[in-house]
Structure formats: C-alpha cells, structure tokens
Amino acid sequence: MKRVETLAVASEITPLVKTGGLADVAGALPAALKAEGVETRTLIPGYASVLAALGHARSLFDLGAFFGGPARLLGASAAELDLFVLDAPHLYVREGGPYAGSDGADYPDNALRFAALARAASSIAQGLLPNYRPDILHAHDWQTALAAAYLRYSGEPRPATVFTIHNLAFQGKFPKSILPALGLPAHSFAIDGVEFYGGVGFLKAGLQFSDRITTVSPSYAAEIMTPESGMGLDGLLRARASDVVGILNGVDERIWNPASDARIAARYDPSSLALRAKNKTELQQRFGLRADPRSFLIGVVSRLSWQKGLDLLLEALPEVVGRNCQLALLGAGDKPLEQGFTEAARKNPGEVGVKIGFDEDIAHLMQAGADVILVPSRFEPCGLTQLYALRYGAAPVVARVGGLRDTIIDANEMALRAGVATGFTFSPVTVDEFVATLHRARKLFADKEQWRQLQGNGMKTDVSWRHPARRYAELYRGLLAARAAPGAP
Ligand code: ADP
Ligand code: GLC
C-alpha cells in the first residue's frame, strides 16, 4: 500500500484549541489515518493558547510581511499531532476566542485572518518547505476553504485537494471590497470563481475548486443538495454531486472511553455498568440537583444556537422537569438562551441545573452520569455528543436530521423486539414531538431490563474512527489514481 502524505488545515484542533466538533475531528483523524498508511501534518493558526501549549517549536520559514505583519511557519509536535503553526501575532494573538472577541463579536478582520491561513496552506502544498511535498491538501470548513482557490490561480504543480464541510451555515461571506487584500486575481471574482451573491464566498470557493468535497454524514450530504437546507449553495453542490461524499465522524477513543476516562468519578465498561451510578450522583451534586438515583436525568452539552434547537427545550421545560425528571445543561452561546436557562435553574432548584461556559471535564461527566443526552437540532451535519453518549451508556434523544438520523436507531417497538435500538429519534422538530419522545424515553427508563439492553446496544456500537478513516484513505487514493490516469486534467 503506497503511503499517502496529507497536509490538513483547520482553524481548531483538540486538545489545543476547541469551540466545537471540528476540533475533535481535526485532532482525531491523523492517528486514525496513520493505520491506513496516511501520514498527516496539520496547519493551524498560532493563537496565544496554541503557542503557549506548544512550548518548544522549530522555526521553519520566515514569511516576512504577510497579510499586514511579520509571520513565520513553525514546526511542532503535540498530543501525537504533527503540526505546522502559522505564527502571525498580528492575526491570531487576541483577547477572546479563535473567531470572536470576549464581547462575542466576530473579529472585523476575519477575512484576512483566515485567508492568511489558507494562503500559507497553499504555499506549503506547493513546496515552500524543503523536503515536504504532500500528495493531498485536506481543508476543513470556510476558514481554510480559500486554499483551493489560491492553488487554482497559482498554477501547477499542485497536490490533489479535498474539502470537508462541517457546517454549511458558516460560509465566510465578505464584501467584494476585500478582494485585493486577499491577493487573488481580479478575474477570480466570477460566478465560477470566488464570487457569491455579490460578495466573496470563502466556503463557495472551496466547493468550487476542490477536487473532492466531503461532508460529515450521508444524510447531511443529501440534505445540503436541496433548496430547503442548501443555504444558497445547493445548486453548486448539485452540480458537483459526483464529487460529493458523506463520511460519518467517529469517536476518539483515546479521549472518550468510560473505561479509562480520568475526568469522570468512576470508570466502567459494559460489564460494570452499575458503577455508572456514581457518576450520576457526582453530576447531580455538581449541578445542585437533588441526589436521587431513580430520577430521570436529562443531560445537554451544546453550543446554545438556533441550530441546536434548545429553545424548544426551554419552551417545553414546564412539561418536562419535575415529577422525578431533572435537567443538567452545560452550554454557551446566544445570550437569550443563556439567560433563559439560567432563569429556569433559579425557578426549579434541585430539578434544573445549568452551567454556562465551556468545560471539558464536565462535558465528560455529563456523558458518564446522565440517563439521556438530548440533541434536538434543527439541522446537524454529524453531531458528536450523541456518539459520545452511545459510548458512555447514556441514551441519545435526538432529532431525526443529518448525522443524528444516521447514527441513532429509534427504540420503537420493532427495533426493541429486534434488539437493535440505541436511542430515541423524533421528527418533525417541534415541541409536541419532542415532549412525546422524552415521555417515551422515560417510560422505557422505568423498565430496567429494557433500559440496560438499550445502553448495552449503544456501548457496543462501533463508533470508532476505524471505518471512517478507511473511507478517507480510499478517497485520497482514488483521487490520486484518477489524477495519475492518462488523460487526466
Ligand atoms: P458542534 O460542532 O456543532 O458544536 P458537535 O456535536 O459535533 O457539535 O461537537 C460539539 C463538541 O463540543 C463536543 O466535543 C462537545 O462535547 C463539545 N462541547 C459543546 N459545548 C460544550 C461546552 N459548553 N463545554 C464543553 N464542551 C462542549
Ligand atoms: C460541525 C457540525 C457538527 C459536526 C462537527 C464536526 O460543527 O455542526 O454536526 O459534528 O462540525 O464535523
């Protein structure tokens, strides 16, 4: 099997910098791909937190004045990852997160910050660094999508390109006036270039110019080709349908494994499920909930945004909690939702517990202690929290959309009889369906034997990266073979 060399580029990567599932995927894929004969190096921005975590890094290349300030490329290894870091303090060393300041507003120069990342990726891909020539450039989400455009306009030779859509809702659309600062030729501003509804579309450019497009579940791949869910890009995606493929995400079992997880109160596996109760008690304590092993504990770990449908939970709360049903929610995002849940916790002491913020330790404890993990998303490209829930013996209660539909088998009568159910799904995403499904879950929870069977089914489902990594490796090799074929463009 010929070794494949891949340059990945992403704006976040676990465990160095994370706002959501993209980081988990970027952090997990390289190790999983290694088993398939694919070597990955990942280019990431040199945020302050990244530079601090790296400690020792080698300076590889001085980029001089780069997008408005001095920049260089560093090489480093951390957490079993081989990294290139774009060290450009004027772009990445900021108060606040990777995309927005502490006030929650996007940085005004995000177009340049991420064009620089994409430009650096395309330069490395074309041989900027001695002895490094990747076969594949694999870019993730809008922040890196311009890499394919830079390659297209800078000419051959170039590596093959793969672009992964983690979320079509984040498109990187900017006014036309930024074009000169990006360093792309004026003629790139065209319908078959980077132009998108009168502005410059980063995501659009990635979809236009990458050799292959992947997204993170088969159902989402189909959904985004429809006008209802295509967010203005469905036409382009339909035109490129033969190059689009949905590959499900997996779980990084080095990090998410209840048998070895140092972040939870008691470790367990399918043969020692009873130990899980200790985590539930700990979770109840940490969230100020009444410590009661029999109560039905609903857990949520989520960004608080329209996508995630948690306004439905807020609306349904009076019908859901109380009478031995509790809610523990960890999340951050939209202020009205943060306030709504905080208020709900105040009104329902002992029954509703809320932590606003981002906390990796509690996210793990939630999976290990909650009875169900709720994901009522309006759309969900893949979703990782329901996969972690399967792994940890919490039953996922999810909307039947995107990757949620592809990963959870509803505990309807047929699936229960066949012994294959792993959770609960509902559709359409409305308060009524949502409440009815939670009641259905609660009813099954009362039947201890059926519930243990449901937990067991989830825990033995293969949600590892093994299968998805093989699919990516096949995609890379297929693409390289197609390019090498006589007559290939
Ligand atoms: P998305 O990427 O759309 O936010 P995913 O389900 O793919 O959704 O991934 C979410 C990731 O972020 C998971 O690893 C989840 O545990 C984590 N996460 C989300 N919100 C929080 C939070 N408030 N604190 C800690 N981890 C969180
Ligand atoms: C995005 C999606 C989520 C997916 C994650 C990783 O943030 O919203 O569904 O799991 O990317 O691919």
Side-chain angles (χ1 to χ4, degrees), residues 20-22 25 166-167 216 249 303 307-308 380-384:
L22 164 64
V25 174
H166 293 267
N167 195 332
V216 287
N249 289 334
R303 289 188 288 119
Q307 172 191 346
K308 301 292 179 180
E380 195 62 74
C382 179
L384 290 171

Side-chain angles (χ1 to χ4, degrees), residues 18 20-22 24 256 301-303 307-308 330-332 357-360 363 380 383-385 388:
K18 166 170 171 178
L22 164 64
D24 288 355
W256 297 93
V301 181
S302 185
R303 289 188 288 119
Q307 172 191 346
K308 301 292 179 180
L330 167 66
F358 200 92
D359 190 319
E360 198 69 40
E380 195 62 74
L384 290 171
T385 54
Y388 301 153

Side-chain angles (χ1 to χ4, degrees), residues 17 47-49 92-104 107 113:
V17 50
Y47 308 116
S49 62
Y92 305 124
V93 176
R94 304 264 161 108
E95 283 293 319
Y99 317 116
S102 0
D103 59 356
Y107 298 120
R113 297 175 72 232

